[in-house]
Amino acid sequence: MSASTTATLRHDWSLAEVKALFVQPFNDLLFQAQTVHRAHFDANRVQVSTLLSIKTGACPEDCKYCPQSGHYNTGLEKEKLMEVQKVLEEAARAKAIGSTRFCMGAAWKHPSAKDMPYVLKMVEGVKAMGLETCMTLGRLDQDQTEALAKAGLDYYNHNLDTSPEFYGSIITTRTYSERLQTLAYVRDAGMKICSGGILGMGESLDDRANLLIQLANLPEHPESVPINMLVKVAGTPLENADDVDPFDFIRMLAVARILMPQSHVRLSAGREAMNEQMQALAFFAGANSIFYGDKLLTTANPQADKDMQLFARLGIQPEAREEHADEVHQAAIEQALVEQKSSEQFYNAAV
């Protein structure tokens, strides 16, 4: 299968086709993924986001990978919903060090009626700063989705996590169909979708392929596809899971790029365990988005200065927001990244 044919947007991928991509010789797969990537993106630009936990711990879901689940004793301190002003202060810091998107995550099964007004004010405030806005709040109903869209939310993150077949082995408190319904509400409300999954939970190659098929065969591809490598946290049922082979992880990124040519494929959780060479290979495979800063909700992430040092060595520049992609704005972002101070400037809300 040529790279030119796979650059065409498709929504009818079969398991046999996707598995055939996975089992190609490694160099052939990466060449195909890089060719598709260059047809749709600047190969030396990476979108930069910051993620903040606005409500930490005590989640009623039983996701086996998650330290925030109230079902497991991981030593994580519970925190109530952050005050709106504190969230806006963190967003300002994120913008100062070069992030173009500010993502806010709450450990909820679904947002409550009493919390929604505060959540909406967070969206409005971050949006007013000129940042793209993203939230992950769990399951949404139609009214909540429409309210978020009206407030100015750009992206909603709701990961499928794994294949429909393996899902029940990881989560029992929410169904796969509920996740898909939330994604449908988000799309119908006019927002962009951020949805991906996790490698390293004991899934098979078929499960990895079927996860990507679920995403690629949606009526519209998610604009952002985070690919996470399991961060094993003591106290969770997956704390002793087998490590993911680095080449298998890169293959996942490459296949995601081929299946969803116009989506941003995000190198997400697990980057702390990746050396610079693996991250460079991930960018070559088509990853063009990262979370930037010291934490991803509750787990470690490479420090911002290390990311920018790696970007400089690879000749990568941060991607500007589309609506502000003029030379002056881009230069300001790049200068802020060069002149950033130490990680003490960065948020500590999700310790």
Side-chain angles (χ1 to χ4, degrees):
M1 188 179 298
S2 70
S4 61
T5 59
T6 56
T8 303
L9 292 182
R10 290 181 51 190
H11 305 271
D12 60 351
W13 289 94
S14 70
L15 180 59
E17 285 179 302
V18 176
K19 287 182 69 175
L21 292 173
F22 270 103
V23 300
Q24 288 186 91
F26 189 71
N27 286 344
D28 292 349
L29 175 60
L30 260 62
F31 177 77
Q32 183 173 343
Q34 177 66 191
T35 303
V36 170
H37 185 58
R38 286 174 179 269
H40 296 277
F41 292 98
D42 182 335
N44 296 306
R45 293 279 177 180
V46 171
Q47 189 275 325
V48 176
S49 298
T50 294
L51 177 61
L52 174 70
S53 178
I54 60 173
K55 186 271 177 185
T56 303
C59 180
E61 303 277 28
D62 66 354
C63 310
K64 290 184 178 179
Y65 54 80
C66 187
Q68 300 207 65
S69 171
H71 294 258
Y72 317 123
N73 182 15
T74 62
L76 183 70
E77 291 188 15
K78 304 172 187 176
E79 296 179 6
K80 296 180 179 180
L81 183 66
M82 288 181 69
E83 295 177 4
V84 173
Q85 184 58 37
K86 290 184 178 180
V87 172
L88 299 185
E89 289 170 1
E90 300 301 339
R93 292 189 183 98
K95 184 177 181 180
I97 62 169
S99 287
T100 57
R101 186 180 307 161
F102 192 68
C103 306
M104 295 159 273
W108 288 325
K109 183 170 185 175
H110 53 79
S112 68
K114 70 178 180 66
D115 289 320
M116 277 298 293
Y118 301 103
V119 167
L120 297 176
K121 287 185 180 298
M122 292 174 191
V123 174
E124 292 167 353
V126 174
K127 185 80 169 178
M129 294 180 188
L131 288 164
E132 287 182 322
T133 53
C134 178
M135 280 195 158
T136 178
L137 310 171
R139 188 184 75 235
L140 297 177
D141 61 33
Q142 191 168 8
D143 289 343
Q144 290 172 328
T145 311
E146 292 173 355
L148 288 166
K150 185 176 180 180
L153 188 65
D154 296 300
Y155 286 81
Y156 193 74
N157 168 257
H158 201 58
N159 289 335
L160 296 182
D161 289 342
T162 188
S163 70
E165 295 79 12
F166 190 61
Y167 181 84
S169 300
I170 303 299
I171 303 161
T172 66
T173 50
R174 184 191 303 166
T175 66
Y176 211 81
S177 61
E178 285 177 318
R179 288 182 182 258
L180 292 171
Q181 180 62 72
T182 292
L183 294 182
Y185 285 148
V186 169
R187 186 62 82 193
D188 289 345
M191 291 184 288
K192 297 175 182 178
I193 288 175
C194 175
S195 186
I198 306 171
L199 271 66
M201 301 188 295
E203 73 283 346
S204 66
L205 176 60
D206 280 13
D207 292 318
R208 294 174 183 177
N210 277 322
L211 166 63
L212 293 181
I213 288 169
Q214 286 289 318
L215 296 168
N217 287 356
L218 288 170
E220 294 180 65
H221 293 164
E223 284 79 4
S224 181
V225 181
I227 303 297
N228 300 274
M229 186 165 68
L230 177 68
V231 177
K232 291 177 279 189
V233 178
T236 64
L238 294 177
E239 63 176 304
N240 296 313
D242 292 337
D243 291 340
V244 177
D245 180 275
F247 292 118
D248 289 344
F249 187 83
I250 299 299
R251 284 180 182 275
M252 186 73 171
L253 294 170
V255 175
R257 166 54 61 220
I258 293 167
L259 267 59
M260 292 168 278
Q262 295 181 355
S263 302
H264 279 80
V265 176
R266 176 173 293 149
L267 183 60
S268 198
R271 258 197 328 127
E272 177 70 14
M274 301 177 194
N275 61 27
E276 290 183 335
Q277 292 77 14
M278 184 177 175
Q279 291 186 63
L281 205 55
F283 296 134
F284 188 77
N288 63 338
S289 177
I290 62 167
F291 277 125
Y292 179 61
D294 296 334
K295 281 187 180 292
L296 295 185
L297 294 181
T298 60
T299 57
N301 193 47
Q303 291 183 358
D305 57 345
K306 291 183 179 179
D307 285 336
M308 289 305 107
Q309 289 170 13
L310 178 59
F311 272 24
R313 292 173 66 190
L314 298 178
I316 289 174
Q317 297 289 342
E319 181 180 283
R321 288 188 61 183
E322 290 182 8
E323 58 267 46
H324 299 290
D326 56 275
E327 293 180 2
V328 174
H329 180 79
Q330 183 62 18
I333 291 176
E334 292 167 5
Q335 186 64 22
L337 290 169
V338 170
E339 295 179 354
Q340 65 178 299
K341 295 181 180 179
S342 66
S343 59
E344 69 185 12
Q345 284 187 316
F346 200 68
Y347 73 82
N348 61 1
V351 173

